[in-house]
């Protein structure tokens, strides 16, 4: 009996000892599960079907690595209708649709300035690293993922973004970032805004001193593979591709010239994406990203596909080769991340700002109803129609798709109600060939938009005092474009709004998920994994089915780190 009592006493003491040890151990495990680095990669004009069309040609260390080891969402769609770059970057970083973030388009009309201004134009700041028009993220309403990381850690987390475009870098970075860097096409250097710093860091200056882009002046862009391997694309001399200044319409494309003309052309090549990745590598190394006690964030926008895809279309050999070389650039970046931080310590998110409509003539050849609407012609037709319906006058201030801005001074002079003019203009606009849905400002403000179709997505695209008095969207197969060749984006249809979404690495359970999700779900998912507040206006829902073992030690990976990839040709 005494022995049994002594044994039970010892057992109780052991249990008490274990209980006293467990809480710190669990806390340590939870801390170790939190990623040290969040790597957010956003491609521009990246059609969802690129992943499946080119899968057999992707390297094991780049996009295929993410697809095989991450949570791959196969039905990710924009939850708003205006599928433009600035809207996409803002939705990803804030978790909010344009009706909250205020980013209604890449650019919009500002009556007080009497001109169209980009989403990042800001004369109160100046460029750092070059001369030129100032830019900032201050038009973005609400906080970003990076802002929340800075707030949660009292500024100790580092947040850096880089891109070929100011819009992408600034929208992803937010207000509190350590730096947002983009490629200035006048100087051929990476610059930033005085919003973040009075000077470029030494490592960025050293990168600029290499004159990275200049090394490709006169160099031909060759295909990665023999032409016979590009069976997923149109022939190289496809006649409806848009000519690019200084380029032939077929491979090889020799990039040459001087100053801004050369840098514009360079920014449409795979080398520009490679340059952005190499700049990101420097940021990782010199800013010691992912090597602090608090998690850091690197936002990377790969934007070479912007003007290139508009010129050659998403089914071109140029678009295919751009993706194949981007895949190689990402594989090389992942190698650096693995060496410096560890892929098991990194949360990688890959998505796109929007997709791209195929070239209309490409669809017409397949007997589809398609066409282009020239914005200038549309504005003239609508203004003329209002002249005949109401009175001869200047009725339209500006048309910057999808926003029509009425000339309010004319309404006052003619003594007509704004809602009445909006209704007449909407009816007239719908009579123009290729125009689909038309929404009036008074309908949106009074919540009188009919349900069904894309109505809710269109409603989420309206922001008071920035959007126009009318929102005009094309019919399926139509695009607002002034050029006779090439294509564009901006519609609420799947070719523009279905984008890839893959999460990979720390705390993520791999698999394919078919439920409908949106890029606005990225922000709450990342902040949930980090254990911090979501951005202030976040509307998205955390992707809980992809979140693995957050409150425990990181699960071991069964695969090796991605293999090194050859440099882009």
């Amino acid at each position: 009996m005494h022995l049994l009592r002594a044994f039970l006493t010892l057992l109780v003491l052991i249990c008490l000892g274990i209980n006293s040890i467990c809480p710190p151990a669990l806390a340590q495990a939870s801390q170790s599960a939190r990623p040290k680095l969040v790597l957010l990669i956003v491609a521009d004009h990246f059609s969802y079907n690129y992943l499946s069309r080119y899968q057999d040609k992707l390297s094991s260390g780049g996009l295929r690595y993410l697809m095989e080891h991450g949570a791959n969402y196969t039905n990710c769609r924009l939850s708003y209708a205006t599928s433009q770059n600035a809207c996409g970057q803002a939705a990803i970083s804030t978790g909010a649709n344009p009706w909250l973030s205020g980013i209604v388009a890449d650019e919009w009309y500002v009556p007080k300035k009497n001109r169209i201004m980009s989403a990042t134009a800001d004369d109160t700041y100046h460029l750092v690293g070059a001369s030129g028009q100032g830019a900032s993220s201050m038009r973005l309403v609400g906080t970003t993922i990076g802002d929340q990381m800075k707030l949660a850690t009292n500024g100790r987390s580092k947040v850096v973004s880089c891109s070929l475009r100011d819009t992408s870098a600034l929208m992803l970075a937010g207000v509190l970032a350590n730096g947002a860097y983009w490629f200035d096409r006048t100087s051929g250097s990476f610059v930033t805004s005085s919003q973040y710093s009075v000077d470029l860091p030494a490592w960025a200056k050293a990168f600029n001193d290499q004159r990275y882009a200049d090394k490709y002046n006169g160099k031909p862009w060759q295909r990665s593979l023999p032409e016979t391997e590009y069976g997923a694309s149109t022939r190289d001399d496809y006649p409806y591709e848009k000519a690019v200044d200084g380029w032939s319409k077929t491979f090889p494309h020799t990039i040459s010239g001087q100053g801004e003309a050369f840098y514009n052309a360079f920014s449409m090549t795979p080398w520009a994406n490679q340059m952005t990745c190499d700049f990101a590598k420097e940021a990782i190394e010199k800013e010691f990203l992912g090597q602090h006690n608090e998690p850091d964030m690197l936002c990377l926008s790969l934007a070479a596909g912007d003007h290139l895809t508009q010129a050659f279309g998403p089914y071109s050999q140029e678009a295919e080769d751009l993706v194949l070389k981007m895949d190689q650039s990402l594989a090389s970046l992942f190698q650096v991340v693995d060496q410096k931080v560890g892929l098991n310590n990194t949360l990688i998110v890959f998505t796109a700002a929007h997709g791209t409509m195929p070239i209309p003539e490409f669809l017409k050849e397949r007997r589809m109803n398609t066409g282009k609407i020239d914005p200038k012609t549309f504005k003239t037709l609508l203004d003329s129609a209002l002249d005949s319906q109401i009175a001869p006058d200047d009725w339209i201030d500006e048309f910057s798709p999808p926003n029509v801005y009425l000339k309010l001074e004319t309404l006052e002079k003619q003594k007509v109600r704004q809602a009445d003019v909006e209704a007449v203009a909407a009816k007239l606009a719908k009579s123009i060939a290729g125009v689909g849905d038309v929404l009036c400002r008074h309908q949106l403000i009074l919540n009188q938009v009919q349900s069904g179709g894309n109505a809710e997505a269109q409603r989420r695209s309206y922001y008071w005092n920035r959007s126009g008095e009318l929102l005009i969207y094309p019919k399926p197969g139509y695009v607002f474009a002034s050029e006779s060749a090439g294509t564009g984006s901006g519609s609420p249809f799947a070719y523009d709004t279905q984008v890839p979404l893959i999460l990979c690495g720390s705390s993520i359970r791999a698999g394919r998920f078919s439920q409908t999700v949106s890029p606005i779900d990225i922000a709450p998912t990342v902040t949930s994994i980090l254990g911090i507040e979501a951005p202030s206006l976040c509307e998205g829902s955390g992707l809980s089915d992809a979140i693995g073992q957050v409150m425990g030690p990181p699960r071991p990976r069964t695969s090796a780190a991605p293999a090194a990839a050859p440099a882009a040709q």
Side-chain angles (χ1 to χ4, degrees):
M1 181 63 70
H2 292 291
L3 288 174
L4 179 60
R5 186 175 300 164
F7 174 75
L8 292 174
T9 302
L10 179 62
L11 185 62
V12 169
L13 291 173
I14 290 173
C15 289
L16 289 172
I18 291 175
N19 286 336
S20 66
I21 293 172
C22 276
L26 285 174
Q28 185 177 2
S30 175
Q31 190 76 7
S32 65
R34 187 172 62 168
K36 294 182 178 180
L37 176 67
V38 176
L39 176 58
L40 174 59
I41 304 167
V42 183
D44 200 4
H45 279 266
F46 193 100
S47 295
Y48 170 77
N49 62 19
Y50 285 170
L51 294 179
S52 57
R53 280 168 55 200
Y54 310 145
Q55 184 171 2
D56 60 332
K57 302 171 190 173
L58 300 176
S59 68
S60 60
L63 291 170
R64 188 189 297 179
Y65 176 80
L66 298 182
M67 294 167 67
E68 293 176 350
H69 298 89
N72 186 2
Y73 285 87
T74 60
N75 194 23
C76 180
R77 296 172 181 264
L78 307 186
S79 49
Y80 50 91
T82 307
S83 51
Q84 297 185 16
N85 179 65
C87 307
Q89 309 288 352
I92 291 165
S93 65
T94 66
N97 292 295
W99 65 354
L100 292 181
S101 73
I103 306 302
V104 299
D106 288 340
E107 55 186 20
W108 56 85
Y109 182 69
V110 181
K112 290 182 179 179
K113 302 275 187 179
N114 194 30
R115 63 187 175 102
I116 292 177
M117 297 182 67
S118 79
T120 55
D122 192 339
D123 295 336
T124 60
Y125 295 94
H126 63 268
L127 289 189
V128 175
S131 59
Q133 182 184 13
S136 79
S137 66
M138 299 308 291
R139 289 191 180 187
L140 180 65
V141 182
T143 59
T144 63
I145 301 170
D147 290 338
Q148 292 301 141
M149 291 175 67
K150 300 289 284 188
L151 290 171
T153 62
N154 199 22
R156 292 186 295 275
S157 288
K158 283 194 172 184
V159 177
V160 175
S161 71
C162 55
S163 175
L164 294 172
R165 301 180 59 174
D166 59 347
T167 303
S168 304
L170 291 164
M171 292 294 111
L172 291 176
V175 176
L176 302 179
N178 296 79
Y181 305 96
W182 63 91
F183 183 66
D184 176 60
R185 299 181 188 184
T186 301
S187 65
S189 300
F190 276 92
V191 299
T192 189
S193 168
S194 58
Q195 173 186 1
Y196 302 103
S197 175
V198 297
D199 198 6
L200 289 173
W203 62 266
K205 290 181 179 178
F207 189 93
N208 285 337
D209 288 342
Q210 299 176 38
R211 304 307 302 170
Y212 193 109
D214 295 348
K215 294 183 292 185
Y216 294 93
N217 200 332
K219 184 175 180 179
W221 168 15
Q222 304 276 9
R223 299 182 192 86
S224 302
L225 303 169
E227 184 176 1
T228 53
E229 297 294 317
Y230 290 77
S233 303
T234 54
R235 69 180 191 269
D236 196 17
D237 60 346
Y238 191 67
Y240 302 109
E241 297 171 345
K242 183 171 70 175
V244 176
D245 289 344
W247 287 29
S248 63
K249 291 181 68 174
T250 59
F251 280 104
H253 298 292
T254 300
I255 316 302
S256 61
Q258 298 295 323
E260 188 171 358
F262 166 70
Y263 295 127
N264 280 331
F266 170 80
S267 296
M268 297 168 61
T269 69
W271 302 317
N273 278 342
Q274 179 66 54
M275 177 184 68
T276 310
C277 286
D278 288 344
F279 188 87
K281 293 174 191 175
E282 287 296 300
I284 292 171
E285 182 175 351
K286 299 304 194 300
E287 297 286 352
F288 301 99
L289 299 180
Q291 301 165 63
H292 302 106
N293 291 331
E294 302 289 355
D296 298 323
M297 184 174 190
L298 174 61
C299 303
L300 179 66
S301 165
L302 299 176
D306 180 9
H307 294 298
L308 179 88
T309 311
Q310 291 186 61
F312 291 92
Y315 286 91
S316 65
Q317 293 187 25
E318 285 78 6
E320 180 173 355
D321 199 64
L322 183 77
V323 172
L324 298 183
K325 287 186 169 68
M326 185 182 83
D327 174 58
Q328 296 171 5
S329 298
L330 287 176
S332 175
L333 174 64
F334 295 163
Q335 277 286 309
V336 172
V337 171
D338 196 40
Q339 293 165 6
K340 299 294 182 180
V341 184
L343 288 174
N344 282 335
N345 299 319
T346 304
L347 171 60
I348 302 174
V349 180
F350 175 78
T351 188
H354 57 83
T356 307
M357 177 181 150
I359 291 177
E361 289 77 9
F362 174 88
L363 299 176
K364 190 173 293 184
E365 288 177 344
R366 287 147 183 82
R367 297 186 297 278
M368 296 183 184
N369 188 18
T370 183
K372 292 179 178 175
I373 310 167
D374 179 31
K376 292 181 180 179
T377 302
F378 173 86
K379 177 185 175 184
T380 301
L381 287 173
L382 186 57
D383 196 83
S384 298
L386 288 170
D387 286 345
S388 62
Q389 287 288 317
I390 305 176
D393 213 322
D394 186 10
W395 293 98
I396 309 296
D397 236 352
E398 193 57 71
F399 176 48
S400 180
N403 295 290
V404 171
Y405 298 89
L406 296 176
K407 197 170 188 65
L408 301 184
E409 295 88 342
T410 299
L411 274 63
E412 184 176 351
K413 181 177 69 173
Q414 295 289 345
K415 295 182 171 48
V416 290
R417 294 176 65 246
Q418 181 173 328
D420 293 339
V421 177
E422 290 173 7
V424 172
K427 183 177 180 179
L428 294 170
K430 286 185 70 69
S431 68
I432 297 174
V435 171
D437 292 330
V438 180
L439 287 82
C440 299
R441 175 181 179 272
H442 72 273
Q443 291 177 302
L444 291 158
I445 290 177
L446 299 175
N447 199 24
Q448 294 176 346
V449 178
Q450 294 182 352
S451 60
N454 294 303
E456 188 61 26
Q458 292 161 353
R459 197 164 70 90
R460 296 191 191 106
S461 298
Y462 177 85
Y463 187 86
W464 183 81
N465 212 31
R466 289 185 181 174
S467 297
E469 280 68 53
L470 299 176
L471 295 185
I472 311 286
Y473 293 98
K475 291 179 178 178
Y478 284 79
V479 62
F480 284 110
S482 56
E483 302 281 350
S484 59
T487 186
S489 60
S491 82
F493 308 116
Y495 45 74
D496 278 337
T497 60
Q498 186 174 9
V499 294
L501 174 55
I502 306 175
L503 295 88
C504 185
S506 179
S507 305
I508 297 300
R509 181 168 57 241
R512 287 173 63 88
F513 302 91
S514 61
Q515 66 267 36
T516 301
V517 298
S518 169
I520 66 171
D521 298 328
I522 292 171
T525 302
V526 172
T527 53
S528 175
I529 291 172
L530 295 175
I532 63 177
E533 287 180 357
S536 55
L537 297 178
C538 182
E539 301 177 83
S541 302
L543 303 173
S544 57
D545 47 358
I547 301 177
Q549 200 175 14
V550 179
M551 295 301 292
R555 61 181 177 84
R557 300 188 74 89
T558 57
S559 62
Q569 295 295 314

